[in-house]
């Protein structure tokens, strides 16, 4: 039996909705098959008021062992560092977060807001929001760079806007079943099993990427979305084209550009007008090249690839 | 547009450029703001206003070489542009949508 507590800070509840749609394993499987006891969750918890506060206090005192503390949403510090803009159970949420993190075996941040601050922390960040251990790319966040949970791990970051439901439940199961030490994390504390590969890995448009055939409008059945429509698939670490959404598809498969929502800088360019769904260029060359590719190599490859492109690459290949 | 119509239109566009149609080759559209501005101008044209498209996009019959570009590794031509469809010799930027030749260039080039 592993006790799990889930709280929400500055959040839209998107990750909760995602979590409730998990399939492998499902949210119910967590309870019935993996022995996870959900102490409280904003959408599932039955306790209110004093009873809820007692659960939280008992976790902090140790009366209830807290095995997994899941946090969704940003840690809100406004105004003036007090956190009063996000009160929960009679005190600023940031105080609950600090004390619960200190007693939890594992702390798991779900979604961009809890990992790096996400959209609420976009400039000018009026709510003075932070992620649990990062603010965008800067290590630190609400708990500080040196934070380690009782099991000796930093916060396990599962980013995304929202995070894929199965990323959430699979990591929760891993730590609940004693395999937390096996969860290898990258530099941004993301589980490598999900975030080592790129969004582009498994994209059905990879042939168009290779032959430099561009999609120029949303929903086209041919063409790569990277060249013109701002797709961040070649620079973004996620398994969106390996672990499909709703077991069916992904953004890029359906003709929508990847927004790079598992990376700390999301949303990119602070959502300045003209920067969303448009590849940003300098002298016609993309500002953000596929990871590890330099400008000279990119230009040389493009010339060669376009020369070699077969005619079929210019036609719709996903016909109904 | 069928292939024969495209070929005829491409020939017509070439003739316009050869006969000295003045196009806005410079300043180049090197920032997002510049590009958006040009695209908005193109959107205001009728789809068959080909002269207007050539003028606003700054077409010329040769590749464009940015002044001072060391090594010449950025030669801007339709051939390397992301909007160019090689086998059809066609520019697929929705606001242009015209047949072109691989050695032409315009200031909306992107690689």
């Amino acid at each position: 039996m592993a006790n799990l507590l889930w709280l929400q800070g500055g959040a839209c509840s998107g990750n909760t909705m995602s979590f409730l749609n998990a399939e492998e394993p499902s949210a119910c499987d967590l309870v019935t098959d993996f022995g996870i006891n959900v102490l409280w969750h904003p959408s599932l918890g039955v306790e209110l008021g004093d009873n809820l506060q007692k659960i939280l206090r008992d976790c902090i005192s140790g009366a209830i062992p807290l095995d997994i503390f899941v946090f969704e949403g940003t840690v809100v510090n406004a105004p003036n560092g007090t956190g009063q803009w996000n009160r929960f159970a009679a005190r600023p949420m940031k105080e609950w977060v600090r004390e619960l993190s200190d007693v939890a075996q594992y702390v798991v941040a779900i979604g961009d807001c809890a990992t790096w601050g996400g959209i609420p922390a976009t400039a000018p960040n009026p709510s003075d929001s932070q992620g649990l251990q990062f603010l965008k790319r800067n290590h630190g966040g609400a708990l500080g760079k040196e934070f380690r949970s009782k099991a000796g791990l930093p916060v396990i970051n599962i980013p995304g806007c929202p995070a894929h439901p199965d990323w959430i439940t699979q990591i929760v199961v891993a730590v609940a079943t004693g395999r937390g030490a096996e969860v290898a994390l990258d530099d941004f504390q993301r589980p490598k099993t999900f975030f080592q590969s790129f969004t582009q890995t498994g994209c059905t448009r990879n042939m168009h990427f290779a032959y430099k055939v561009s999609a120029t409008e949303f929903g086209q059945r041919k063409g790569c979305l990277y060249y013109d429509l701002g797709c961040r698939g070649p620079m973004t670490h996620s398994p969106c084209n390996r672990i499909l959404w709703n077991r069916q598809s992904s953004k890029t498969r359906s003709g929508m550009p990847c927004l790079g929502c598992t990376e700390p800088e999301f949303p990119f360019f602070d959502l300045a007008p003209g920067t969303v769904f448009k590849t940003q260029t300098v002298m016609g060359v993309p500002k953000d090249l596929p990871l590890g590719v330099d400008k000279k190599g990119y230009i040389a490859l493009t010339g060669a690839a376009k020369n070699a492109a077969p005619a079929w690459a210019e036609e719709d290949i996903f016909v109904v | 547009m069928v292939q024969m119509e495209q070929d005829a239109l491409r020939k017509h566009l070439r003739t316009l450029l050869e006969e000295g149609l003045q196009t806005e080759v410079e300043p180049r559209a090197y920032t997002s703001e510049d590009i958006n501005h040009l695209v908005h101008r193109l959107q205001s044209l009728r789809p068959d206003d080909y002269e207007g498209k050539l003028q606003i996009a700054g077409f010329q019959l040769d590749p464009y070489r940015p002044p001072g570009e060391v090594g010449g590794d950025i030669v801007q031509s339709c051939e390397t542009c992301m909007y160019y469809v090689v086998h059809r010799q066609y520019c697929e930027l929705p606001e242009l949508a015209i047949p072109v030749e691989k050695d032409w260039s315009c200031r909306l080039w992107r690689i």
Side-chain angles (χ1 to χ4, degrees):
Chain A
M1 177 76 78
N3 289 327
L4 180 147
L5 174 69
W6 181 310
L7 296 184
Q8 274 180 358
C12 67
S13 301
N15 288 286
T16 278
M17 290 188 206
S18 189
F19 166 68
L20 294 176
N21 281 289
E23 290 183 75
E24 289 187 8
S26 72
C28 292
D29 292 339
L30 298 188
V31 177
T32 57
D33 296 356
F34 296 100
I36 293 174
N37 176 38
V38 181
L39 293 171
W40 197 80
H41 177 284
S43 298
L44 303 174
V46 293
E47 304 294 352
L48 293 170
D50 292 343
N51 291 340
L52 169 59
Q53 287 187 39
K54 183 173 186 316
I55 292 173
L56 301 178
R57 282 196 300 270
D58 285 350
C59 287
I60 291 167
S61 71
I64 298 175
L66 180 56
D67 299 297
I68 308 166
F69 175 44
V70 177
F71 193 64
E72 169 186 10
T74 62
V75 177
V76 173
N77 292 296
N80 305 316
T82 63
Q84 295 285 358
W85 282 8
N86 180 202
R87 288 181 64 82
F88 179 75
R91 64 197 294 226
M93 176 61 89
K94 65 181 282 187
E95 294 177 10
W96 288 118
V97 168
R98 173 85 250 176
E99 293 176 21
L100 290 163
S101 297
D102 283 342
V103 297
Q105 288 293 325
Y106 296 97
V107 178
V108 183
I110 302 286
D112 279 349
C113 297
T115 51
W116 354 100
I119 289 175
T122 300
N125 192 359
S127 57
D128 196 5
S129 278
Q130 290 175 299
L132 285 184
Q133 245 184 322
F134 283 86
L135 174 56
K136 301 297 177 182
R137 197 167 270 269
N138 298 322
H139 207 177
L143 297 178
K145 190 176 175 178
E146 305 304 327
F147 171 82
R148 295 293 179 273
S149 66
K150 287 181 85 173
L153 287 182
V155 173
I156 298 173
N157 284 330
I158 306 179
C161 193
H164 189 292
D166 295 350
W167 310 343
I168 302 171
T169 53
Q170 287 178 28
I171 289 301
V172 166
V173 165
V175 297
T177 54
R179 290 183 289 122
E182 297 169 25
V183 179
L185 303 177
D186 70 8
D187 291 344
F188 292 107
Q189 298 165 205
R190 300 174 291 198
K192 285 185 178 179
T193 185
F194 297 131
F195 298 100
Q196 183 88 333
S197 60
F198 296 95
T199 306
Q200 188 183 20
T201 310
C203 178
T204 51
R205 294 168 186 270
N206 273 341
M207 290 182 293
H208 298 110
F209 176 81
Y211 289 123
K212 313 295 175 191
V213 176
S214 177
T216 51
E217 292 176 307
F218 298 140
Q220 280 181 338
R221 289 175 179 269
K222 62 153 195 172
C224 176
L225 300 149
Y226 164 73
Y227 300 114
D228 189 39
L229 296 178
C231 181
R232 302 197 62 86
M235 299 83 82
T236 300
H237 296 88
S238 93
C240 287
N241 278 300
R242 292 192 294 127
I243 302 173
L244 298 179
W245 289 77
N246 297 319
R247 309 269 146 211
Q248 297 290 320
S249 193
S250 71
K251 274 188 181 161
T252 61
R253 288 182 180 208
S254 61
M256 284 293 291
C258 162
L259 293 172
C261 76
T262 54
E263 296 295 335
E265 295 88 349
F266 175 81
F268 287 81
F269 308 111
D270 290 336
L271 298 173
T275 64
V276 182
F277 299 137
K278 192 70 185 171
T279 303
Q280 301 299 291
T281 56
V282 179
M283 291 183 74
V285 180
K287 266 185 191 170
D288 295 318
L289 292 170
L291 207 64
V293 176
D294 66 17
K295 183 174 144 188
K296 197 161 187 168
Y298 177 82
I299 291 169
L301 178 64
T302 300
K306 280 190 92 76
N307 276 329
W312 59 256
E314 298 173 0
E315 307 297 331
D316 291 357
I317 58 173
F318 300 111
V319 294
V320 178
Chain B
M1 198 184 296
V2 296
Q3 188 64 43
M4 279 177 58
E5 288 174 338
Q6 285 186 14
D7 291 345
L9 179 55
R10 186 181 301 107
K11 199 171 170 186
H12 172 63
L13 300 181
R14 166 173 269 283
T15 303
L16 286 173
L17 292 167
E18 283 175 340
E19 290 179 349
L21 178 71
Q22 292 301 301
T23 66
E24 302 171 26
V25 176
E26 289 175 328
R28 308 299 283 182
Y30 283 155
T31 67
S32 296
E33 293 75 22
D34 295 341
I35 293 166
N36 290 340
H37 178 64
L38 287 187
V39 167
H40 285 142
R41 285 178 65 196
L42 288 169
Q43 286 169 342
S44 69
L45 298 177
R46 291 191 326 272
D48 61 351
D49 184 354
Y50 298 113
E51 269 187 46
K53 288 181 179 181
L54 293 178
Q55 288 169 327
I56 292 172
F59 268 93
Q60 61 179 28
L61 291 168
D62 305 306
Y64 178 86
R65 292 175 186 275
E69 182 61 34
V70 179
D73 59 347
I74 298 187
V75 178
Q76 301 176 10
S77 65
C78 290
E79 185 176 24
T80 53
C81 178
M82 279 307 152
Y83 299 122
Y84 180 63
V85 184
V86 178
H87 292 271
R88 284 171 53 208
Q89 297 183 74
Y90 195 82
C91 173
E92 278 204 330
L93 175 65
E95 287 76 13
L96 284 175
I98 52 172
V100 293
E101 293 182 21
K102 67 183 176 70
D103 289 330
W104 296 4
S105 63
C106 89
R107 55 183 177 157
L108 285 163
W109 176 87
R110 66 165 54 210
I111 193 167

